[in-house]
Amino acid sequence: MEQLLIILVPALPLLSALVNHLAYGQLGRRVARLSVVLAVFTFVVSAVLLAQAMSGNDSNQVALGDTWGILLADPLSTLMGILIAGISLIVRMYSVRYMIEEQGYGRFFMLLDLMTATLLIMVAAGDLLTLIVAWHLVGVLLYFLLGFDSRSKTAYRYAFWTLITYRIGDIALVLAAVLLFHAFGTWTLADIFAGIAENPGAHQYFGFALEELVGVLLAIAAFARSAQFFLHTWLPYSMDGPTPVSALMHAGIVNAGGFLINRFAVVFIHTDSVMHLLFVVGLVTAIIGSILMLMQNDIKKALGYSTMGQMGFMIMECGVGAFSLAIYHLIAHGLFKGTLFLGAGTVINEARKSDGVPKDELYTFVVEHRITKRHQPWLLMAGITLIVPIIILFFAHWLVAQDFFQKQGAIVLLFFGWVTGAQLLFTTYRMGAQNVWRLVGVIVLSFAVIVLGYAAISHAFDLFLYPDPEFSSQISSAASIDIFWFDVLVVLTTAFIVGGWLLKYYSEKNRLFRQEKVGLIWTSFYALVSREFYIMDIYAWLTRRLLTIAGRLNILLRWR
Amino acid sequence: MSELLLLLAGLFLPLFPLSMVFNEVFQRIRVASLRVALLVIWPQIGVALVLAAGIDIPAWVGFWALFTALLYGFRALALREVGLWTGFIATSAWAVLWLVMGSTVEGQAEWFQQASYALALSAPLALLALLGGELEKRFGAAYTGLYGGLALSQPRLSGVLVFVVLAIVATPFSPGFSVMMTAIIESSMHSFFVAVTVAMIWLLWSWAGARLLQGIIVGPAQEKAKADLSINSTWVYVLILILLVVSGIYSIGNLG
């Protein structure tokens, strides 16, 4: 019975796509309703599979062929499956009316169905060939979904950027898969993982350990799919596609990088430096994505860069060994980002009539940059800023896992949580609130609820996805660096950040920097950020150069 | 004698600059059906010659083929004429066949496998040659960026064109996908650099394919729409494409 359910999950959207195509002539736009009904069934079946996995049933699988076509029902695939089925259902329900006036209404639903089926196959793939096929097809289908309006050359231009970036990731995945196949003589993931676990580091390729080389290639595949820095330009620019596609892309497709890293966790725990690469790239992406998000005046583009930043955090979490936290993050992000995209149209429409922003103290502080003249006792405020977040964070983590001090990854995430919480409080004191203590109280309470919820849920995810404590500890070890250098880095970063806060406070109090000097630095930085660090310009220039060279070669060789 | 046969094979599984002969012949033929015949038969002669030579392919021939495939894949990026594009991608694809030659079993089965690899790459190109003929019939030229908007004015023709181009660029479920996977599997056993280069060639095909499609199907509908592909012709194309997909699915199962 369970095997039938495993097949039904991707089969239902495939059936929906087929019926959509064949019955559009007779049913017209009513085929969309059929698509929604079958999406509901897909969601229900996915929920049943997840419930079975949560009830402690052993992982199950179905093999449709000898060497490929293996579909898994394990904790990771069922969790990802319900996310995809759920978001896809919402997107289809939304699209029934949203797309009603578009030409190619039936084609749109057929493409959505095919995309859903492909994503579901991708997360359930139990062999490398099925994974590669699905991974590759997601890029192709996304190209046609983003370019759904065939009249728009701009939409196709950016759909093309997406396709090419995804192809770079495809190639990395193919190369990783081929190396694993050479080493173990099979495409089946379970056999490959068993081989690695049994004898890690046994295979060498071109002077590198197999796990190291495969880990780097998988990381590149994840970077391309999850819009990490240098491979991110497709994401914020793919907004010319229909809004439901943006929602599906930002809520579901872009998360594939986190999924891939989790699927190949066995490989990553046997690498020396790949986890650190994930951390650095994720961190840089998170910072740059967040900066660029704040610069945008277009809500959809701002959401695009916000996704980039969030994906950076997700990859960074993987880099510190918090694999299950990354899955929780991608689910939470998928749900809120999908909601934001689907609501973006209404917000824009409302904003045209009235911006709807109350002219309260928050508005005067954030938008008008009016800083309060009243100051609370300095030492008291500094103490609250630095100590309260750290108490909450330590208490929350201690509640779920007493040994978290021994995990560098947990310390790094605590550090980020502390900086965020402290920055929030630090900013609050300068706000012209009527009752600053009430505001601080509300913020501390909200922060405590978020941190406690986050710690508890991520712990539950950890128990579900990685129930073997030894394996969890191997993940933490792979992400760790030498304890001396770790301590040095923590102290230096803390000193840098606290120093920055103090400098900011001191300079504002004593008017340390002259306005014109600061203004010039800000203007230069603004110019750099407004051009998005010139990365898109560089890529466009490179593309033009390559096409020119290809053309000149053709002329030189007389088109033969 | 064997070396001579191998060199002759370089004409039919084109190696640059011998590849210029094929492209010259292909451009001179303007009849679509003759182009189809040329695309199907030409590489088969090459395969037969390689097998008749009966010797291991020297490593330097592999590098020569790799260079040819990369060169023509790269040059295809700047092409706008569908016929030229077909010839260049055919040259690039057939050069890749040199890299999969060492992957097969002896005797009759070897010939069959190599011939089917060549056919897997040629068949979608032959369909594109026919579609190029259809475009020329309607617009006087099969040229990207010249008319555009086919998706709206000729939905059947553009639909078939999309699937044919996807098959040419070795998208999964097309038989070309298995050939490219085999090429990467084979080459990665000897050199990671070669495997990466084969993957780059695959990327170039995707790039060139996307440029071709965007130049033809994207854009506002034409004011005076030409006739679309007839329903019967569409069915013929669809049936051939289904055959290709079935063979593509079957061949994935034989990988490795």
Side-chain angles (χ1 to χ4, degrees), chain A residues 67-68 103 136-137 143-144 150-151 156 160 167 171 178 181-182 187 206 546-547 550-551 554 557 559-560, chain B residues 20 24 27 72 74-75 84 88 152 172 185 188-189 192 199 202-203 206-207 211 214 218-219 253 255-256:
Chain A
T67 51
W68 74 299
Q103 280 186 321
H136 188 147
L137 284 178
Y143 172 74
F144 289 108
S150 65
R151 292 163 301 183
Y156 263 92
F160 167 75
R167 290 295 289 125
I171 281 168
V178 166
F181 175 73
H182 278 313
W187 296 107
F206 319 110
L546 283 173
L547 292 176
N554 285 335
L557 298 169
W559 306 93
R560 294 293 179 265
Chain B
M20 294 172 98
E24 182 67 37
Q27 294 315 314
Y72 277 86
F74 177 62
R75 289 174 62 195
L84 272 173
F88 276 32
L152 292 173
I185 292 168
S188 64
M189 280 202 287
F192 191 62
W202 200 355
L203 179 72
S206 302
W207 185 354
R211 279 177 63 81
Q214 285 178 209
V218 180
L255 277 174

Side-chain angles (χ1 to χ4, degrees), chain A residues 260-279:
Chain A
L260 190 74
I261 293 167
N262 270 271
R263 176 56 83 209
F264 286 89
V266 177
V267 174
F268 284 99
I269 60 170
H270 292 111
T271 58
D272 289 330
S273 53
V274 183
M275 303 273 274
H276 311 321
L277 174 74
L278 293 178
F279 175 74

Side-chain angles (χ1 to χ4, degrees), chain B residues 122-143:
Chain B
S122 295
L125 286 161
L127 289 180
L128 185 62
L130 287 174
L131 289 173
E134 297 283 354
L135 288 171
E136 281 181 10
K137 221 186 294 175
R138 284 166 178 76
F139 301 101
Y143 217 75

